[in-house]
Amino acid sequence: MDKQVLITVSREFGSGGHEVAAELSKRFGLPLYDESILDSIAHQHNLKLDKLSRFDESPINIFTSRRVRGFSNSPEEHVSAMQARFLQQKAEAGESFVVLGRCGEEYLRGFSGLISIFILADREFKQRRTMRIDKVSAEEALELMARNDKRRKYLHNQICQGKWGDSRTYDICVNSARLDIRGTSDLLEAYVRARIAAM
C-alpha cells in the first residue's frame, strides 16, 4: 500500500466488531492488532503473556492505583502504555495496520492515515450473536454485554479525549445489525477506499 492507513475499530460487545476488523485486515492485506498485540509486547520485553493478558483492555482501578512523582503502580495503566508505545512505534515507522479496541484512535491521533470506526448494533442482534458464539443463555448474554461494554466505556473514557460510542469521537459509526457482518464489512471497505483515494 502506497499510503499509510491506520484503521481503528472500536465496538460494542456482540456487535461483530472483531469479525469486521478481521475482514478489513484481510481485504486490505494489513496486520490486525487485537489481543495478539500482547504476544509481541511479551516477546519484546521478556514478560509472561498470561500476566499481560490479565490486564488487557482493563480500566485503571482507582481504588488500588497510586501515582507518585509521575510513576504509577497500576498494572492496567502499564499494559495500556506498552500497547500505546507499540502502536505508535509501528505508525512512526510508516507501517499500516488495523487495531481492534485498545484506545487505538487516541494513541494514533495526529497520524494523517488514521481512519477511526465504531461498530454498534441493536440489543437483540448482539444478544443473539452472544448466545450463539459464547454458548450462553439469553440472560447470560445480556449480562456479558453489559459487563464488557461497561469495562470498555470506562477504559476509553479514562484515556481518550472523546467519549466511547459518541459519533463525534470517530470518523464513521455503523450499526452492524442493518447489513449484518458481511454487508457492514463491504460498506466499511468502500469507505476506507474512498478515504485512501482522498489522502
Side-chain angles (χ1 to χ4, degrees):
M1 192 171 290
D2 295 335
K3 300 171 183 175
Q4 185 181 44
V5 178
L6 306 168
I7 303 170
T8 65
V9 179
S10 296
R11 74 288 190 209
E12 292 180 345
F13 190 85
S15 66
H18 191 260
E19 289 88 335
V20 171
E23 191 62 30
L24 292 174
S25 166
K26 185 170 89 175
R27 294 186 189 193
F28 288 98
L30 301 175
L32 171 62
Y33 294 126
D34 49 12
E35 65 273 4
S36 64
I37 193 175
L38 295 176
D39 290 321
S40 300
I41 292 171
H43 182 72
Q44 276 182 358
H45 298 277
N46 198 26
L47 298 169
K48 293 190 179 297
L49 179 61
D50 61 329
K51 289 192 175 180
L52 293 178
S53 298
R54 285 171 49 205
F55 305 107
D56 185 35
E57 285 201 295
S58 296
I60 299 163
N61 187 328
I62 59 172
F63 299 107
T64 60
S65 297
R66 298 289 178 269
R67 182 172 284 279
V68 178
R69 296 181 183 152
F71 294 98
S72 171
N73 72 339
S74 165
E76 298 89 353
E77 190 171 355
H78 288 299
V79 170
S80 183
M82 284 190 284
Q83 291 180 342
R85 282 195 298 273
F86 178 89
L87 294 173
Q88 288 164 350
Q89 285 169 357
K90 293 284 183 184
E92 285 163 2
E95 296 183 29
S96 294
F97 49 84
V98 179
V99 183
L100 179 68
R102 289 155 187 82
C103 300
E105 70 276 8
E106 181 68 24
Y107 296 142
L108 299 172
R109 185 184 301 278
F111 288 93
S112 60
L114 176 62
I115 301 171
S116 60
I117 296 166
F118 188 84
I119 310 287
L120 62 144
D122 298 341
R123 185 171 182 255
E124 296 75 17
F125 177 86
K126 294 186 294 183
Q127 184 182 32
R128 285 194 305 273
R129 290 191 78 259
T130 301
M131 289 170 65
R132 176 172 52 82
I133 293 168
D134 293 295
K135 296 178 174 45
V136 295
S137 68
E139 186 176 329
E140 289 170 327
L142 291 177
E143 289 172 2
L144 262 178
M145 288 158 52
R147 185 167 65 249
N148 280 281
D149 280 348
K150 181 179 181 181
R151 180 173 53 83
R152 288 173 181 173
K153 179 178 182 179
Y154 192 38
L155 170 66
H156 186 280
N157 292 350
Q158 280 181 331
I159 292 173
C160 303
Q161 293 181 34
K163 298 298 182 186
W164 185 81
D166 184 336
S167 61
R168 291 165 294 190
T169 301
Y170 311 92
D171 294 321
I172 184 170
C173 299
V174 181
N175 185 333
S176 58
R178 297 293 177 265
L179 297 172
D180 210 343
I181 304 307
R182 183 170 182 80
T184 299
S185 300
D186 291 343
L187 173 70
L188 290 171
E189 179 187 359
Y191 177 78
V192 171
R193 291 196 185 282
R195 284 287 305 276
I196 293 170
M199 287 179 183

